[in-house]
Amino acid sequence: METCNPDVNLLSISTAMTSDSLIEALTATFKSPPPQYGIYPIMHSLCRFVEPDSVHKRSVSHLVGQEEPRHTLTLLEQEVLRLQRRGFGGVVTNVGWGNDYLKNWQPIQQVIAELKKKGFVVYLYDEKGYPSGSAGGSVLEKYPHFEAIGMMAYRYPGLLRGPADYRADLPDGQLYKALLLPAVEDHENSPVELKGLVDVTHCADRYGTLRFTIPPGRWVFVVLFKRRLYDATHCMLSYSEPRRYINLL
């Protein structure tokens, strides 16, 4: 993040000023506020104005005042001048999203240098697809253990009654435990007892199916499994592209 010193600091306006001079000073400040008090547009594509050879220039006499001499500016200089003439005091921008993403830093360095030269406040962020934090997938590519994965539990509906053979498909994820818990009462939402539980985890096959014989009695069937915690969230339904997501905890 870059900051700049304001030409007029609101806090430095003396309380000893007369009411007329104070109003005049505040009015002047509001008419032409320091950059950090201005509007900061989000500009996703400033890097595209950096020409490969960095020397291409175009005539832009229409961008400067009539009294000023004719200028030739790069495409980047033209764009920054347009932003400045529109009254923006800063810019929120990002690294270019091309095939050289996070490999070629020269374009964004040129962008920042040009913005700072014109007195802009610059906020630099990384995204390449919302929500932020994945850096286009490169974070989890290097640190796969940062993925948002957690333990989940699924309670199968109803009570299982034995003795009987039973088959169940497992939820998507990595099975941790499959347990039969003694039901205290004879209804679907019955509380359970931990004493006397039966572990049937070993009955799962490689296709994610459980087959076992229910012991005599009534049971609540629960499986514990590890899986991604961001399915059906904006990470997977993003308009940019689906992506694995990091654990922010």
Side-chain angles (χ1 to χ4, degrees), residues 133-148:
S134 63
S138 61
V139 172
L140 291 180
E141 183 179 355
K142 188 172 183 179
Y143 305 102
H145 55 287
F146 285 176
E147 188 171 12

Side-chain angles (χ1 to χ4, degrees), residues 12-209:
S12 67
I13 297 177
S14 173
T15 56
M17 297 174 65
T18 65
S19 59
D20 289 342
S21 60
L22 178 60
I23 292 174
E24 183 178 346
L26 289 174
T27 301
T29 302
F30 274 105
K31 284 184 176 180
S32 182
Q36 71 265 38
Y37 299 128
I39 297 174
Y40 301 170
I42 298 178
M43 305 292 293
H44 289 303
S45 54
L46 282 178
C47 285
R48 68 186 174 90
F49 293 103
V50 177
E51 300 95 330
D53 56 9
S54 299
V55 297
H56 179 64
K57 294 177 180 287
R58 293 182 180 177
S59 173
V60 288
S61 58
H62 62 285
L63 291 177
V64 297
Q66 295 296 324
E67 73 284 356
E68 298 181 55
R70 190 176 183 85
H71 285 66
T72 54
L73 303 177
T74 65
L75 293 178
L76 176 60
E77 290 169 335
Q78 293 179 52
E79 185 62 20
V80 172
L81 183 57
R82 288 191 184 96
L83 291 171
Q84 190 176 50
R85 288 172 64 86
R86 291 170 184 168
F88 293 121
V91 167
V92 180
T93 190
N94 55 273
V95 178
W97 296 337
N99 294 331
D100 58 354
Y101 175 70
L102 297 186
K103 296 177 182 177
N104 180 12
W105 294 93
Q106 185 267 341
I108 192 63
Q109 289 173 339
Q110 283 190 239
V111 167
I112 294 173
E114 183 62 29
L115 289 168
K116 289 177 64 177
K117 185 171 69 175
K118 294 297 185 182
F120 279 75
V121 177
V122 181
Y123 284 87
L124 179 65
Y125 74 99
D126 168 67
E127 189 170 279
K128 198 181 182 186
Y130 186 84
S132 302
S134 63
S138 61
V139 172
L140 291 180
E141 183 179 355
K142 188 172 183 179
Y143 305 102
H145 55 287
F146 285 176
E147 188 171 12
I149 295 177
M151 188 71 71
M152 303 186 74
Y154 179 74
R155 176 171 174 163
Y156 284 75
L159 296 179
L160 302 189
R161 302 178 187 276
D165 292 333
Y166 188 75
R167 176 195 180 282
D169 290 324
L170 294 171
D172 182 40
Q174 180 183 347
L175 177 64
Y176 177 68
K177 286 291 182 181
L179 304 172
L180 292 171
L181 304 171
V184 176
E185 301 169 2
D186 193 10
H187 58 82
E188 181 174 354
N189 297 318
S190 168
V192 299
E193 292 182 351
L194 295 180
K195 184 178 180 180
L197 67 82
V198 178
D199 189 337
V200 294
T201 309
H202 63 282
C203 298
D205 64 24
R206 59 176 178 163
Y207 302 109
T209 302

